[in-house]
Amino acid sequence: AKYLGGNNIQLYHQGLENQSKDYMEIEGELRKAMQNNELEVFYQPKVNVHSQCIESAEALVRWQHPKKGVISPAEFIHIAEDSGLIAEIGEFVLLESCLQAKQWADNGTAEITVSVNVSAHQLRHENLAQAVGNVLKTTKLPENQLELELTESSLMENLSAATALLKRLSDLGVSISLDDFGTGYSSLSHLKRFPVDGLKIDRSFIKDITSKPEDEAIVNAIIVLGHSLNLKVIAEGVESKEQLALLDQLGCDEIQGYFIAKPLSSQDMTTMLLQQKSG
Ligand code: C2E
Ligand code: CA
Ligand code: CA
Ligand code: CA
């Protein structure tokens, strides 16, 4: 028993060491990746439920690793957050997607909004409003073509700072949407205090919406609440025709998900926008 116990402890330590070694390895590789332009912005269309037109696209970062292939943000965003690298990644994604939206508008492809994810770290450390203002100025993208997606939990970290920041951002004319809505400990009273324009219902509520009446009830309640506050309501993670039909019936404004399209390279997104244009 003694032997086993000792062994277990040793294994435990090895586990931890491996974990932090991986962690630092990824952090180092991520730094290099940025220098080597291995990060790329993909775009996932958001479609108006009524017009069925693409109104906007969410910018989602991808890491094209020379050996490992495409690495998803789920695997590196938290490391980027902890190490502060997210500041650089966030600036890159913001600039790149504004340039892209401006280009689509200028070359006649489409006039759509781009939605950019903002991390908790960016809210804490960056002068986000100034960074956003600068990017709008450099890219000349009309401010109403930029939307920022922020999570409730990141805003809850520091309520008064967050409220002031949202005010500055909405003064700039960009839209703000609450991401992963329903998963944080959302305090409904803050909804009316935050100057937000939209709610994005988390995929976890959409997943079983056609089979679980409780999920349908929650989604219905979010849509009614959002509309009574004059907010646009969007559902993410829509994967089937049945989900879309139900969301349409419940009055959801926009949908995003594999049923429409997976996140696409800018080239593939351009093709999709051109197809829509030609009818
Ligand atoms: P998110 O903001 O909730 O983004 C939606 C995620 O759901 C994306 O995963 C998207 O590919 C995925 N998704 C979309 N439609 C469907 C669907 O129908 N079914 C399923 N199963 N999944 C769907 P992705 O691209 O892997 O991104 C994961 C998360 O990483 C994002 O979650 C976001 O929190 C974060 N992230 C991605 N890009 C950025 C970025 O540029 N900056 C920051 N701060 N975070 C980012
Ligand atoms: Ca998002
Ligand atoms: Ca989301
Ligand atoms: Ca989500």
Side-chain angles (χ1 to χ4, degrees), residues 41 44 58-62 72-74 76-77 81 86 89-90 93-94 116-120 122 149 151 179-180 200 202-203 236-240 243 256-263:
V41 180
Q44 188 177 33
E58 179 173 5
L60 293 159
V61 70
R62 297 288 179 268
S72 102
F76 65 87
I77 286 286
E81 279 257 334
I86 192 71
I89 296 177
V93 174
L94 179 67
V116 176
N117 289 289
V118 174
S119 74
Q122 287 174 286
E149 293 191 5
T151 61
D179 202 359
D180 300 343
K200 195 165 185 185
D202 192 65
R203 176 157 62 89
E236 71 174 11
V238 178
E239 295 185 355
S240 74
Q243 290 171 334
Q256 175 183 0
Y258 295 170
F259 181 64
I260 305 295
K262 292 201 166 180

Side-chain angles (χ1 to χ4, degrees), residues 120-135:
H121 182 280
Q122 287 174 286
L123 290 186
R124 261 180 257 128
H125 296 279
E126 261 181 79
N127 193 343
L128 190 66
Q130 195 180 328
V132 168
N134 286 343
V135 166

Side-chain angles (χ1 to χ4, degrees), residues 50-215:
H50 300 291
S51 69
Q52 311 233 3
C53 287
I54 300 171
E55 290 188 324
S56 57
E58 179 173 5
L60 293 159
V61 70
R62 297 288 179 268
W63 178 1
Q64 308 277 0
H65 194 282
K67 289 199 196 93
K68 295 175 191 162
V70 179
I71 304 179
S72 102
E75 285 178 59
F76 65 87
I77 286 286
H78 62 287
I79 296 177
E81 279 257 334
D82 294 349
S83 59
L85 279 172
I86 192 71
E88 257 176 88
I89 296 177
E91 264 174 52
F92 161 75
V93 174
L94 179 67
L95 177 62
E96 185 69 22
S97 47
C98 287
L99 282 171
Q100 181 62 75
K102 177 69 175 151
Q103 197 192 353
W104 279 327
D106 285 354
N107 68 19
T109 303
E111 268 181 38
I112 62 166
T113 299
V114 279
S115 310
V116 176
N117 289 289
V118 174
S119 74
H121 182 280
Q122 287 174 286
L123 290 186
R124 261 180 257 128
H125 296 279
E126 261 181 79
N127 193 343
L128 190 66
Q130 195 180 328
V132 168
N134 286 343
V135 166
L136 288 174
K137 209 186 272 174
T138 346
T139 62
K140 301 194 176 68
L141 180 73
E143 57 279 355
N144 61 3
Q145 277 182 258
L146 176 62
E147 176 180 61
L148 301 175
E149 293 191 5
L150 291 85
T151 61
E152 300 169 271
S153 38
S154 69
L155 292 173
M156 293 308 196
E157 274 185 19
N158 185 341
L159 259 184
S160 58
T163 311
L165 173 66
L166 290 185
K167 172 85 174 56
R168 285 192 66 196
L169 289 170
S170 76
D171 285 347
L172 282 174
V174 304
S175 315
I176 293 151
S177 159
L178 290 184
D179 202 359
D180 300 343
F181 191 77
T183 59
Y185 65 108
S186 48
S187 148
L188 297 177
S189 66
H190 294 123
L191 259 188
K192 70 173 186 193
R193 255 194 28 205
F194 287 149
V196 297
D197 309 278
L199 301 180
K200 195 165 185 185
I201 307 172
D202 192 65
R203 176 157 62 89
S204 56
F205 299 108
I206 307 300
K207 214 170 133 276
D208 302 315
I209 191 176
T210 56
S211 58
K212 290 202 176 131
E214 314 88 79
D215 286 351

Side-chain angles (χ1 to χ4, degrees), residues 210-226:
T210 56
S211 58
K212 290 202 176 131
E214 314 88 79
D215 286 351
E216 180 184 336
I218 291 171
V219 169
N220 183 49
I222 296 176
I223 293 172
V224 171
L225 171 75

